[in-house]
Amino acid sequence: MSFIAAVLLLNLDQADAFICFANLLNKPCQVAFFRVDESIMGAYFDTFEDFLKENLPKVYHHFHENEVIPHIYIIDWIFTLFSKSLPLDVASRVWDVFCRDGEEFLFQTALGILKVYEDILIHMDFIYLAQFLTKLPEDICADELFRSIDSIQMSIDKRKFSQVLTMHKDKLKDTRDTGSLRSFKDTSSIRSLVTSQAVL
């Protein structure tokens, strides 16, 4: 959070920076990540992987072969709104569009970064991938990055990012509900067994 606060304080006075900071932290995506809500974060990760597969299939398959999951790099990118991983001038441009377009643009930016370095990434093993993604090159070209971001398609089979995200959230909810029902049934069975044994 200190990275976000630093960017705000560089551009605003303390009072306005605090208000903006509070508003940013209340956005659904940021709430999930700052609270480490694993189920909601999982829905965001699954959604991101769907769009990764759609836009960058080579990177998607290479990451899976090397067991590189979004948790390794996406958390830091989203947690700091790219203020840690990108140069300040580039991160500021990302923030401008994020404030206009919302959370979808954060994931579009993540895909844009992967596209910029696609030819490098598909030749790396797990160790080098993890190191590269957690510390991006400082000389990334802003114009090249934003061209990559613009080329990313944020719809799958006519479903927008928000619709795909909702689908994954519903799946997780159904899984939790099924688990809760199973747990209730197991508890009921145990109670029945205990009751029958008491009668005997």
Side-chain angles (χ1 to χ4, degrees):
M1 288 188 283
S2 59
F3 284 92
I4 296 176
V7 173
L8 291 172
L9 288 169
L10 282 172
N11 293 279
L12 302 166
D13 60 40
Q14 290 184 3
D16 289 339
F18 177 78
I19 293 170
C20 289
F21 185 71
N23 288 334
L24 281 173
L25 297 191
N26 280 319
K27 290 182 176 293
C29 181
Q30 276 60 53
V31 168
F33 277 76
F34 287 127
R35 289 181 177 176
V36 194
D37 187 329
E38 294 183 6
S39 61
I40 301 300
M41 289 171 67
Y44 279 103
F45 293 145
D46 291 342
T47 301
F48 174 78
E49 289 217 289
D50 284 349
F51 283 94
L52 176 60
K53 185 177 182 180
E54 181 73 15
N55 286 277
L56 302 168
K58 289 183 180 178
V59 174
Y60 171 83
H61 290 297
H62 184 68
F63 278 13
H64 270 256
E65 288 173 1
N66 287 274
E67 299 182 350
V68 175
I69 56 177
H71 304 60
I72 293 174
Y73 56 97
I74 284 289
I75 290 178
D76 193 47
W77 292 357
I78 301 299
F79 203 77
T80 63
L81 300 177
F82 297 98
S83 59
K84 178 182 176 182
S85 50
L86 295 175
L88 181 59
D89 60 324
V90 182
S92 296
R93 288 180 61 179
V94 171
W95 280 42
D96 284 343
V97 186
F98 162 62
C99 290
R100 185 193 68 188
D101 295 350
E103 63 185 27
E104 176 180 327
F105 186 73
L106 295 178
F107 294 91
Q108 188 174 353
T109 299
L111 292 166
I113 291 172
L114 297 181
K115 184 168 185 177
V116 168
Y117 297 111
E118 178 177 13
D119 293 338
I120 299 174
L121 295 172
I122 59 176
H123 296 294
M124 291 181 174
D125 62 15
F126 175 84
I127 297 297
Y128 284 105
L129 284 168
Q131 291 176 343
F132 187 91
L133 293 170
T134 52
K135 186 171 175 55
L136 296 171
E138 295 180 1
D139 61 350
I140 186 169
C141 174
D143 291 336
E144 182 183 1
L145 173 59
F146 274 83
R147 283 195 297 270
S148 292
I149 293 172
D150 287 340
S151 69
I152 298 297
Q153 299 298 316
M154 294 305 285
S155 63
I156 300 175
D157 296 330
K158 296 182 179 181
R159 290 179 299 175
K160 296 181 179 179
F161 178 88
S162 58
Q163 293 172 312
V164 177
L165 176 61
T166 299
M167 178 190 72
H168 283 296
K169 285 181 178 179
D170 290 343
K171 282 183 180 178
L172 288 170
K173 183 177 181 298
D174 291 341
T175 301
R176 287 200 304 268
D177 291 345
T178 302
S180 298
L181 179 60
R182 185 180 298 112
S183 176
F184 174 77
K185 288 181 177 178
D186 291 343
T187 303
S188 298
S189 298
I190 292 171
R191 286 174 177 168
S192 298
L193 180 61
V194 170
T195 303
S196 63
Q197 288 179 338
V199 171
L200 293 174

Coordinates of all heavy atoms in Angstrom, one line a residue, residues 83-144:
S83 N 2.5 0.3 -9.5 CA 3.5 1.4 -9.1 C 4.8 0.9 -8.7 O 5.8 1.7 -8.7 CB 2.8 2.3 -8.0 OG 2.5 1.5 -6.9
K84 N 4.9 -0.4 -8.3 CA 6.2 -1.0 -8.0 C 6.9 -1.6 -9.2 O 8.1 -1.6 -9.3 CB 5.9 -2.0 -6.9 CG 7.2 -2.8 -6.4 CD 6.8 -3.8 -5.4 CE 8.1 -4.6 -5.0 NZ 7.7 -5.7 -4.0
S85 N 6.1 -2.2 -10.0 CA 6.6 -3.0 -11.1 C 7.0 -2.2 -12.4 O 7.8 -2.7 -13.2 CB 5.7 -4.2 -11.5 OG 4.4 -3.7 -11.7
L86 N 6.3 -1.1 -12.6 CA 6.6 -0.3 -13.8 C 7.2 1.1 -13.4 O 7.0 1.6 -12.3 CB 5.2 0.0 -14.5 CG 4.5 -1.2 -15.1 CD1 3.2 -0.7 -15.7 CD2 5.3 -1.8 -16.2
P87 N 7.9 1.7 -14.3 CA 8.5 3.0 -14.0 C 7.3 4.0 -13.7 O 6.2 3.8 -14.2 CB 9.2 3.4 -15.3 CG 9.5 2.1 -16.0 CD 8.4 1.2 -15.6
L88 N 7.6 5.0 -12.9 CA 6.6 5.9 -12.4 C 5.8 6.6 -13.5 O 4.6 6.6 -13.4 CB 7.2 7.0 -11.5 CG 6.2 8.0 -10.9 CD1 5.2 7.3 -10.1 CD2 7.0 9.0 -10.1
D89 N 6.5 7.0 -14.6 CA 5.7 7.7 -15.7 C 4.8 6.7 -16.4 O 3.7 7.1 -16.8 CB 6.7 8.3 -16.7 CG 7.6 7.3 -17.3 OD1 8.0 6.3 -16.6 OD2 7.9 7.4 -18.5
V90 N 5.2 5.4 -16.5 CA 4.4 4.4 -17.2 C 3.2 4.1 -16.3 O 2.0 4.0 -16.7 CB 5.2 3.2 -17.6 CG1 4.3 2.2 -18.3 CG2 6.4 3.6 -18.4
A91 N 3.5 3.8 -15.0 CA 2.5 3.5 -14.0 C 1.4 4.6 -13.9 O 0.2 4.3 -13.8 CB 3.1 3.3 -12.6
S92 N 1.9 5.9 -14.0 CA 0.9 7.0 -14.0 C -0.1 6.9 -15.1 O -1.3 7.2 -15.0 CB 1.7 8.3 -13.9 OG 2.5 8.4 -12.8
R93 N 0.4 6.6 -16.3 CA -0.5 6.4 -17.4 C -1.5 5.3 -17.2 O -2.6 5.4 -17.6 CB 0.3 6.2 -18.7 CG 1.1 7.5 -19.2 CD 1.9 7.2 -20.4 NE 1.1 6.8 -21.6 CZ 1.6 6.6 -22.8 NH1 2.9 6.7 -23.0 NH2 0.8 6.2 -23.8
V94 N -1.0 4.2 -16.6 CA -1.9 3.1 -16.3 C -3.0 3.5 -15.4 O -4.1 3.2 -15.5 CB -1.1 1.9 -15.7 CG1 -2.0 0.8 -15.2 CG2 -0.1 1.3 -16.8
W95 N -2.6 4.3 -14.3 CA -3.5 4.8 -13.4 C -4.6 5.7 -14.0 O -5.8 5.6 -13.7 CB -2.8 5.6 -12.3 CG -2.1 4.8 -11.2 CD1 -1.4 3.7 -11.4 CD2 -2.1 5.1 -9.8 NE1 -0.9 3.2 -10.2 CE2 -1.4 4.1 -9.2 CE3 -2.7 6.1 -9.1 CZ2 -1.1 4.1 -7.8 CZ3 -2.4 6.1 -7.7 CH2 -1.7 5.1 -7.1
D96 N -4.2 6.5 -15.0 CA -5.1 7.4 -15.7 C -6.3 6.6 -16.3 O -7.5 6.9 -16.1 CB -4.4 8.2 -16.7 CG -3.6 9.4 -16.2 OD1 -3.8 9.7 -15.0 OD2 -2.7 9.9 -16.9
V97 N -5.9 5.5 -17.0 CA -6.9 4.7 -17.7 C -7.7 3.9 -16.7 O -8.9 3.7 -16.8 CB -6.3 3.8 -18.8 CG1 -7.4 3.1 -19.6 CG2 -5.4 4.7 -19.7
F98 N -7.0 3.4 -15.7 CA -7.7 2.6 -14.6 C -8.8 3.4 -13.9 O -9.9 2.9 -13.7 CB -6.6 2.1 -13.6 CG -7.2 1.7 -12.3 CD1 -8.1 0.6 -12.2 CD2 -6.9 2.3 -11.1 CE1 -8.6 0.2 -11.0 CE2 -7.4 1.9 -9.9 CZ -8.3 0.9 -9.8
C99 N -8.5 4.7 -13.6 CA -9.5 5.5 -13.0 C -10.7 5.8 -13.9 O -11.8 6.0 -13.4 CB -8.8 6.9 -12.6 SG -7.7 6.7 -11.2
R100 N -10.4 5.7 -15.2 CA -11.5 5.9 -16.1 C -12.3 4.6 -16.4 O -13.5 4.5 -16.4 CB -11.0 6.4 -17.5 CG -12.1 6.8 -18.5 CD -11.5 7.0 -19.8 NE -10.9 5.8 -20.4 CZ -10.2 5.8 -21.6 NH1 -9.9 6.9 -22.2 NH2 -9.8 4.6 -22.0
D101 N -11.5 3.5 -16.6 CA -12.2 2.2 -17.1 C -12.4 1.2 -16.0 O -13.1 0.2 -16.2 CB -11.3 1.6 -18.2 CG -11.2 2.5 -19.5 OD1 -12.0 3.4 -19.5 OD2 -10.4 2.2 -20.3
G102 N -11.7 1.3 -14.9 CA -12.0 0.4 -13.8 C -11.0 -0.8 -13.8 O -10.0 -0.9 -14.5
E103 N -11.3 -1.8 -13.0 CA -10.4 -2.9 -12.7 C -10.1 -3.8 -13.9 O -9.0 -4.3 -14.0 CB -11.1 -3.9 -11.6 CG -12.4 -4.5 -12.1 CD -13.1 -5.3 -11.0 OE1 -12.9 -5.0 -9.8 OE2 -13.8 -6.2 -11.4
E104 N -11.0 -3.8 -14.9 CA -10.7 -4.6 -16.1 C -9.4 -4.1 -16.7 O -8.6 -5.0 -17.2 CB -11.8 -4.4 -17.1 CG -11.6 -5.1 -18.5 CD -12.7 -4.9 -19.4 OE1 -13.9 -4.8 -19.0 OE2 -12.5 -4.7 -20.6
F105 N -9.1 -2.8 -16.7 CA -7.9 -2.3 -17.3 C -6.6 -2.8 -16.6 O -5.6 -3.0 -17.2 CB -7.9 -0.8 -17.4 CG -6.7 -0.2 -18.2 CD1 -6.7 -0.3 -19.5 CD2 -5.6 0.3 -17.5 CE1 -5.6 0.1 -20.3 CE2 -4.6 0.8 -18.2 CZ -4.5 0.7 -19.6
L106 N -6.7 -3.1 -15.3 CA -5.5 -3.6 -14.6 C -5.1 -5.0 -15.2 O -3.9 -5.2 -15.4 CB -5.8 -3.8 -13.1 CG -6.1 -2.5 -12.3 CD1 -6.4 -2.8 -10.9 CD2 -4.9 -1.5 -12.4
F107 N -6.1 -5.8 -15.5 CA -5.8 -7.1 -16.0 C -5.4 -7.0 -17.5 O -4.7 -7.8 -18.0 CB -7.0 -8.1 -15.8 CG -7.2 -8.3 -14.3 CD1 -8.1 -7.5 -13.6 CD2 -6.6 -9.4 -13.7 CE1 -8.2 -7.8 -12.2 CE2 -6.7 -9.6 -12.3 CZ -7.6 -8.8 -11.6
Q108 N -6.0 -6.1 -18.2 CA -5.6 -5.8 -19.6 C -4.2 -5.4 -19.6 O -3.4 -5.8 -20.5 CB -6.5 -4.8 -20.2 CG -6.3 -4.6 -21.7 CD -7.4 -3.7 -22.3 OE1 -8.3 -3.2 -21.7 NE2 -7.2 -3.3 -23.6
T109 N -3.8 -4.6 -18.7 CA -2.4 -4.1 -18.6 C -1.5 -5.3 -18.3 O -0.4 -5.4 -18.9 CB -2.2 -3.1 -17.5 OG1 -3.0 -1.9 -17.8 CG2 -0.8 -2.6 -17.4
A110 N -1.9 -6.2 -17.4 CA -1.1 -7.4 -17.1 C -0.9 -8.2 -18.4 O 0.3 -8.7 -18.7 CB -1.7 -8.2 -16.0
L111 N -1.9 -8.4 -19.1 CA -1.8 -9.1 -20.4 C -0.9 -8.4 -21.4 O -0.2 -9.0 -22.2 CB -3.2 -9.4 -21.0 CG -4.1 -10.3 -20.2 CD1 -5.5 -10.2 -20.7 CD2 -3.6 -11.7 -20.3
G112 N -1.0 -7.1 -21.4 CA -0.2 -6.3 -22.3 C 1.3 -6.4 -22.0 O 2.1 -6.5 -22.9
I113 N 1.6 -6.5 -20.7 CA 3.0 -6.7 -20.3 C 3.5 -8.0 -20.8 O 4.6 -8.1 -21.3 CB 3.1 -6.6 -18.7 CG1 2.9 -5.1 -18.3 CG2 4.5 -7.1 -18.3 CD1 2.8 -5.0 -16.8
L114 N 2.7 -9.1 -20.6 CA 3.1 -10.4 -21.0 C 3.3 -10.4 -22.5 O 4.1 -11.2 -23.1 CB 2.1 -11.4 -20.6 CG 1.9 -11.6 -19.1 CD1 0.8 -12.7 -18.8 CD2 3.2 -11.9 -18.4
K115 N 2.4 -9.7 -23.3 CA 2.6 -9.7 -24.7 C 3.9 -9.0 -25.2 O 4.5 -9.4 -26.1 CB 1.4 -9.0 -25.3 CG 1.4 -9.0 -26.9 CD 0.1 -8.6 -27.5 CE 0.1 -8.8 -29.0 NZ -1.2 -8.5 -29.6
V116 N 4.2 -7.9 -24.5 CA 5.5 -7.2 -24.8 C 6.7 -8.2 -24.7 O 7.6 -8.1 -25.6 CB 5.7 -6.0 -23.9 CG1 7.1 -5.5 -24.0 CG2 4.7 -4.9 -24.1
Y117 N 6.7 -9.0 -23.7 CA 7.8 -9.9 -23.5 C 7.5 -11.4 -23.9 O 8.3 -12.3 -23.5 CB 8.2 -9.8 -22.0 CG 8.7 -8.5 -21.6 CD1 7.9 -7.7 -20.7 CD2 9.8 -7.9 -22.1 CE1 8.3 -6.5 -20.3 CE2 10.3 -6.7 -21.7 CZ 9.5 -5.9 -20.8 OH 9.9 -4.7 -20.4
E118 N 6.5 -11.6 -24.7 CA 6.1 -12.9 -25.1 C 7.3 -13.7 -25.6 O 7.5 -14.9 -25.2 CB 5.0 -12.9 -26.1 CG 4.5 -14.3 -26.6 CD 3.4 -14.2 -27.5 OE1 3.0 -13.1 -28.0 OE2 2.7 -15.2 -27.8
D119 N 8.0 -13.2 -26.6 CA 9.1 -14.0 -27.2 C 10.2 -14.4 -26.2 O 10.9 -15.4 -26.5 CB 9.7 -13.1 -28.4 CG 8.7 -12.9 -29.5 OD1 7.8 -13.8 -29.6 OD2 8.9 -12.0 -30.3
I120 N 10.4 -13.6 -25.2 CA 11.4 -13.9 -24.1 C 10.8 -15.0 -23.2 O 11.5 -15.9 -22.8 CB 11.8 -12.7 -23.4 CG1 12.4 -11.6 -24.3 CG2 12.7 -13.0 -22.2 CD1 12.7 -10.3 -23.7
L121 N 9.6 -14.7 -22.7 CA 8.9 -15.6 -21.7 C 8.8 -17.0 -22.1 O 9.0 -17.9 -21.3 CB 7.6 -15.0 -21.3 CG 7.5 -13.6 -20.7 CD1 6.1 -13.1 -20.5 CD2 8.2 -13.7 -19.3
I122 N 8.5 -17.3 -23.4 CA 8.2 -18.7 -23.8 C 9.5 -19.5 -23.9 O 9.4 -20.7 -24.1 CB 7.5 -18.7 -25.2 CG1 8.3 -18.0 -26.2 CG2 6.1 -18.1 -25.0 CD1 7.7 -18.1 -27.6
H123 N 10.7 -18.9 -23.6 CA 11.9 -19.6 -23.6 C 12.5 -19.7 -22.2 O 13.7 -20.2 -22.1 CB 12.9 -19.0 -24.6 CG 12.5 -19.0 -26.0 ND1 12.4 -20.1 -26.8 CD2 12.1 -18.0 -26.8 CE1 12.0 -19.9 -28.0 NE2 11.8 -18.5 -28.1
M124 N 11.8 -19.3 -21.2 CA 12.3 -19.3 -19.8 C 11.8 -20.5 -19.1 O 10.6 -20.9 -19.3 CB 12.0 -18.0 -19.1 CG 12.7 -16.8 -19.6 SD 12.2 -15.3 -18.6 CE 13.3 -14.1 -19.3
D125 N 12.5 -21.0 -18.1 CA 12.0 -22.0 -17.2 C 11.4 -21.3 -16.0 O 11.3 -20.1 -15.9 CB 13.1 -23.0 -16.8 CG 14.2 -22.3 -16.0 OD1 14.1 -21.1 -15.5 OD2 15.3 -22.9 -15.9
F126 N 10.9 -22.1 -15.0 CA 10.2 -21.6 -13.9 C 11.0 -20.5 -13.1 O 10.4 -19.4 -12.8 CB 9.8 -22.7 -12.9 CG 9.1 -22.2 -11.7 CD1 7.7 -22.0 -11.7 CD2 9.8 -22.0 -10.5 CE1 7.1 -21.5 -10.5 CE2 9.2 -21.5 -9.4 CZ 7.8 -21.3 -9.4
I127 N 12.2 -20.8 -12.8 CA 13.0 -19.9 -12.0 C 13.2 -18.5 -12.7 O 12.9 -17.5 -12.1 CB 14.4 -20.5 -11.7 CG1 14.3 -21.8 -10.9 CG2 15.3 -19.5 -10.9 CD1 13.7 -21.6 -9.5
Y128 N 13.5 -18.6 -13.9 CA 13.7 -17.3 -14.7 C 12.4 -16.6 -14.9 O 12.4 -15.3 -14.8 CB 14.4 -17.6 -16.0 CG 15.9 -17.8 -15.9 CD1 16.4 -19.1 -16.0 CD2 16.8 -16.8 -15.6 CE1 17.8 -19.4 -15.8 CE2 18.1 -17.0 -15.4 CZ 18.6 -18.3 -15.6 OH 20.0 -18.5 -15.4
L129 N 11.3 -17.3 -15.1 CA 10.0 -16.7 -15.2 C 9.6 -16.0 -14.0 O 9.2 -14.8 -14.0 CB 9.0 -17.7 -15.6 CG 9.0 -18.3 -17.0 CD1 8.1 -19.5 -17.2 CD2 8.5 -17.2 -18.0
A130 N 9.8 -16.6 -12.8 CA 9.4 -16.0 -11.6 C 10.2 -14.8 -11.3 O 9.7 -13.8 -10.8 CB 9.6 -17.1 -10.4
Q131 N 11.5 -14.9 -11.5 CA 12.4 -13.7 -11.3 C 12.0 -12.6 -12.3 O 12.0 -11.4 -11.8 CB 13.9 -14.1 -11.5 CG 14.4 -15.1 -10.4 CD 15.8 -15.5 -10.7 OE1 16.3 -15.4 -11.8 NE2 16.5 -16.0 -9.7
F132 N 11.8 -12.9 -13.5 CA 11.5 -11.8 -14.5 C 10.2 -11.2 -14.2 O 10.1 -9.9 -14.2 CB 11.5 -12.5 -15.9 CG 11.3 -11.5 -17.0 CD1 12.4 -10.9 -17.6 CD2 10.1 -11.1 -17.5 CE1 12.3 -10.0 -18.7 CE2 9.9 -10.1 -18.5 CZ 11.1 -9.6 -19.1
L133 N 9.1 -11.9 -13.9 CA 7.8 -11.4 -13.7 C 7.7 -10.6 -12.4 O 6.8 -9.7 -12.3 CB 6.8 -12.5 -13.7 CG 6.6 -13.2 -15.1 CD1 5.7 -14.4 -14.9 CD2 6.0 -12.2 -16.1
T134 N 8.5 -10.9 -11.4 CA 8.5 -10.2 -10.2 C 9.4 -9.0 -10.2 O 9.3 -8.1 -9.2 CB 8.8 -11.1 -9.0 OG1 10.1 -11.7 -9.2 CG2 7.8 -12.1 -8.8
K135 N 10.2 -8.9 -11.2 CA 11.1 -7.7 -11.3 C 11.2 -7.4 -12.8 O 12.2 -7.8 -13.5 CB 12.4 -7.9 -10.7 CG 13.3 -6.6 -10.7 CD 14.5 -6.7 -9.8 CE 15.4 -5.5 -10.0 NZ 14.7 -4.3 -9.6
L136 N 10.3 -6.6 -13.4 CA 10.3 -6.3 -14.8 C 11.4 -5.4 -15.2 O 11.9 -4.6 -14.3 CB 8.9 -5.7 -15.2 CG 7.7 -6.6 -15.0 CD1 6.4 -5.7 -15.2 CD2 7.7 -7.8 -16.0
P137 N 11.8 -5.4 -16.4 CA 12.9 -4.5 -16.9 C 12.5 -3.1 -16.7 O 11.3 -2.7 -16.9 CB 13.0 -4.9 -18.4 CG 12.5 -6.3 -18.5 CD 11.5 -6.4 -17.5
E138 N 13.4 -2.2 -16.3 CA 13.1 -0.8 -16.0 C 13.0 0.0 -17.2 O 12.5 1.1 -17.2 CB 14.2 -0.3 -15.0 CG 14.2 -0.9 -13.7 CD 15.2 -0.3 -12.7 OE1 15.9 0.6 -13.2 OE2 15.3 -0.8 -11.6
D139 N 13.5 -0.6 -18.4 CA 13.5 0.2 -19.6 C 12.3 -0.1 -20.5 O 12.3 0.2 -21.7 CB 14.8 -0.1 -20.4 CG 14.9 -1.5 -20.8 OD1 14.1 -2.4 -20.3 OD2 15.9 -1.8 -21.6
I140 N 11.2 -0.6 -19.9 CA 10.0 -0.9 -20.7 C 9.5 0.4 -21.4 O 9.5 1.5 -20.8 CB 8.9 -1.5 -19.9 CG1 7.7 -1.9 -20.7 CG2 8.4 -0.5 -18.8 CD1 6.7 -2.8 -20.0
C141 N 9.2 0.3 -22.7 CA 8.8 1.4 -23.5 C 7.3 1.6 -23.3 O 6.5 0.7 -23.6 CB 9.1 1.2 -25.0 SG 8.4 2.5 -26.0
A142 N 6.9 2.8 -22.8 CA 5.5 3.1 -22.6 C 4.6 3.0 -23.8 O 3.5 2.4 -23.8 CB 5.3 4.5 -22.0
D143 N 5.1 3.5 -24.9 CA 4.3 3.4 -26.2 C 4.1 2.0 -26.6 O 3.0 1.6 -27.1 CB 5.0 4.3 -27.3 CG 5.0 5.8 -27.0 OD1 4.1 6.2 -26.2 OD2 5.8 6.5 -27.5
E144 N 5.2 1.2 -26.5 CA 5.1 -0.2 -26.9 C 4.1 -0.9 -26.0 O 3.3 -1.7 -26.5 CB 6.5 -0.9 -26.9 CG 6.4 -2.3 -27.3 CD 7.8 -3.0 -27.2 OE1 8.8 -2.3 -26.8 OE2 7.9 -4.2 -27.6

